[in-house]
Amino acid sequence: MDIRDKIVLLTGASRGIGTYIAKTLAKNGAEIIGTARSVDGLNVVKAEIEKDGGVFHALPFDLHKINELSSLVSQASAINGDVDILVNNAGIEHYNEYQDYSADDVRDVIKINLRVPMELTRLLLPSMLEGGGHVVSIASLAGKKGVAYNTPYSASKAGLIMWTDGMRQEYHESKVGFSVICPGYISDAGMFYDGHVDPPALLGTSKPQAVADAVLKAIRKNSAEIIVNKGPMKPLLAIGQISPSFGDTVVRKFGVSKVSKKRIK
Ligand SMILES: NC(=O)c1ccc[n+]([C@@H]2O[C@H](COP(=O)([O-])OP(=O)(O)OC[C@H]3O[C@@H](n4cnc5c(N)ncnc54)[C@H](OP(=O)(O)O)[C@@H]3O)[C@@H](O)[C@H]2O)c1
């Protein structure tokens, strides 16, 4: 899909990786409707994009209000017509030992990371099926291999990956594409960077711009899945599929669990 003049609804647009996605899509000619709770954050992004000649509409919304998403979709469509592209980027994580999670923490991670993208897509799909469209969801490598002390997050991202997989097959012959992006550890901005913990030395980090570039590529090429990681990750993931217990050993050797444990507040 050519993104010029397309209307993009982007969640999580107030900070972190979402700001890079907003700027990259705007620079390539899309009209961005950015949503998040922070009005200040959205307005900063709006000013930066408009300074460069792009178009950004701030649409504040708390995604916890999942039963009111139809109102978000109506407000978005009222701005300049139907949404062509949905980017499900908003996400949350809570690190903890599993027995210490509250039921609300588990529910919220699954809600924001998985149920909201599914529900927004359900609401936007009828108009996309008529006019064409694309849905990009930002999952994580944590959805390809489970991560200790962040297990509800891993479950939510694995769900997002497999839901996208099914949607791609179901709508294969339609005018709507579905892509999932799986970033590893991201430097400079976002939830990992904000945690102030060093990444596992062997895995390293990628730049947030690499995630934004992957979103652009996914829309243009209708990519099924893009992994954003410094080193080669696909062979390791393949080994983990063939032998999950060997995969566990590799993950422990890389120090992923140790890094996650440090992030328990
Ligand atoms: N950073 C990484 O290393 C990394 C790695 C892999 C995958 N990811 C994924 O990349 C995506 C972006 O992450 P990030 O690192 O940029 O995270 P972030 O810096 O924490 O930003 C999260 C965004 O989601 C929004 N959000 C959170 N809860 C919300 C709610 N209830 N209602 C509306 N908006 C809400 C936040 O806006 P408000 O707080 O203003 O509402 C913010 O704009 C996420 O899906 C994350 O899982 C990140």
Side-chain angles (χ1 to χ4, degrees):
M1 177 183 257
D2 179 7
I3 75 156
R4 186 152 295 279
D5 298 328
K6 295 292 188 302
I7 299 178
V8 175
L9 177 60
L10 166 69
T11 67
S14 62
R15 61 189 155 89
I17 295 169
T19 64
Y20 289 79
I21 298 173
K23 288 173 198 169
T24 300
L25 299 187
K27 201 188 283 176
N28 283 276
E31 178 170 341
I32 315 296
I33 302 171
T35 186
R37 290 164 301 184
S38 167
V39 176
D40 289 349
L42 290 174
N43 283 337
V44 169
V45 180
K46 180 179 168 66
E48 288 174 359
I49 286 178
E50 288 181 347
K51 186 167 60 101
D52 288 340
V55 184
F56 182 96
H57 308 275
L59 188 52
F61 190 86
D62 182 352
L63 296 171
H64 282 294
K65 296 190 273 182
I66 191 166
N67 294 327
E68 295 172 33
L69 284 176
S70 57
S71 133
L72 176 70
V73 167
S74 312
Q75 289 176 65
S77 305
I79 291 173
N80 198 10
D82 290 338
V83 169
D84 304 298
I85 297 165
L86 169 64
V87 182
N88 291 308
N89 165 70
I92 58 170
E93 58 181 1
H94 295 289
Y95 285 83
N96 221 335
E97 295 186 17
Y98 194 67
Q99 73 275 10
D100 293 335
Y101 273 94
S102 70
D104 285 355
D105 281 349
V106 174
R107 180 203 58 200
D108 287 351
V109 169
I110 303 293
K111 188 207 277 182
I112 300 296
N113 295 3
L114 179 59
R115 289 186 55 217
V116 163
M118 291 173 69
E119 182 59 7
L120 271 178
T121 304
R122 195 182 68 80
L123 293 165
L124 288 166
L125 201 46
S127 66
M128 285 188 180
L129 286 169
E130 277 185 24
H134 203 99
V135 178
V136 185
S137 297
I138 313 299
S140 167
L141 282 181
K144 304 291 276 181
K145 178 71 184 163
V147 173
Y149 313 110
N150 203 14
T151 56
Y153 180 85
S154 279
S156 70
K157 297 299 188 178
L160 201 50
I161 292 166
M162 212 39 75
W163 169 74
T164 304
D165 196 279
M167 292 296 279
R168 225 171 35 241
Q169 293 169 61
E170 184 170 335
Y171 292 97
H172 175 63
E173 290 182 353
S174 79
K175 290 187 277 185
V176 186
F178 293 87
S179 305
V180 69
I181 313 294
C182 300
Y185 296 102
I186 299 299
S187 63
D188 300 354
M191 52 176 64
F192 177 74
Y193 177 77
D194 292 343
H196 304 293
V197 170
D198 289 334
L202 284 171
L203 291 178
T205 55
S206 307
K207 299 275 184 197
Q209 185 59 45
V211 182
D213 291 342
V215 170
L216 181 62
K217 181 178 171 193
I219 297 166
R220 284 184 168 158
K221 306 225 181 254
N222 192 16
S223 315
E225 177 183 287
I226 301 179
I227 287 173
V228 180
N229 195 69
K230 204 171 150 214
M233 185 49 63
K234 282 188 178 173
L236 284 176
L237 293 171
I239 291 169
Q241 281 288 305
I242 295 163
S243 171
S245 56
F246 181 69
D248 295 353
T249 308
V250 173
V251 162
R252 272 198 302 275
K253 286 254 184 286
F254 276 12
V256 173
S257 304
K258 271 193 192 142
V259 167
S260 289
K261 194 163 192 179
K262 283 189 195 154
R263 299 206 52 203
I264 301 176
K265 293 261 175 351

